[in-house]
Each structure stands twice: as structure tokens, then as C-alpha cells.
Amino acid sequence: MIGRDGDTGQYRVSYFDDRNVSRLYEMNFQNGAWDMWRDYAGFPQRFHAALSDDGNIISGYWARKQGDAWIRDFGVTFTRVDWID
């Protein structure tokens, strides 16, 4: 779930799955860039993506911190499609 605080304008993402894992991320989307992050010491993560010029594709990647370095974990691409019923 994605939510926005009406007073501060900050976004937060609540993630949960069937493994009973749940995490809260900070989020920002501006100037065609989408970023999410959590700086929890046990498992810091970041997501960065860019919106294509035509607005139809979002390409990005997840990264995790290993020592002092950020390591790319996996890529993600979202593509807008026209559904035909």
C-alpha cells in the first residue's frame, strides 16, 4: 500500500507478503524518478526507477547494502499495456 501524509507530503509504502514479512519504506516520485528506501540496520534496501519519456515504461532496480557498498539485487520493468476485452 502506498500512502501520503497530507500535512508533510511525504509518501510511505507498506510492504507485506505471505511469508509474514512486513516492511515500511520511505518513497519519493518526482521529475520522472521513483525512489523507495529503508535504512533499517539489519537489512537496508533501496529501489530506484525512471519513467520513460512517453510515460509507458518504468525501469528500475532493487539494491541492498553489503558492508559499506550498495549491491544491485534485481531489476524490475513495468510496462503499460492496452487491455482488449
Side-chain angles (χ1 to χ4, degrees), residues 40-75:
Y40 174 67
F43 189 54
Q45 293 176 288
R46 294 198 175 161
F47 173 77
H48 175 74
L51 184 65
S52 65
D53 289 339
D54 64 4
N56 289 321
I57 299 172
I58 300 172
S59 297
Y61 62 89
W62 279 97
R64 58 187 163 78
K65 198 163 190 182
Q66 187 171 341
D68 290 334
W70 285 96
I71 308 298
R72 284 189 184 204
D73 210 4
F74 60 91

Side-chain angles (χ1 to χ4, degrees), residues 8-43:
T8 67
Q10 289 184 293
Y11 288 91
R12 291 221 166 81
V13 176
S14 178
Y15 169 86
F16 52 92
D17 64 30
D18 60 0
R19 301 171 298 162
N20 205 27
V21 171
S22 62
R23 298 182 178 126
L24 288 174
Y25 295 88
E26 302 296 321
M27 188 186 103
N28 190 11
F29 191 92
Q30 61 182 352
N31 302 322
W34 178 17
D35 293 293
M36 289 188 289
W37 63 94
R38 68 189 290 262
D39 293 322
Y40 174 67
F43 189 54

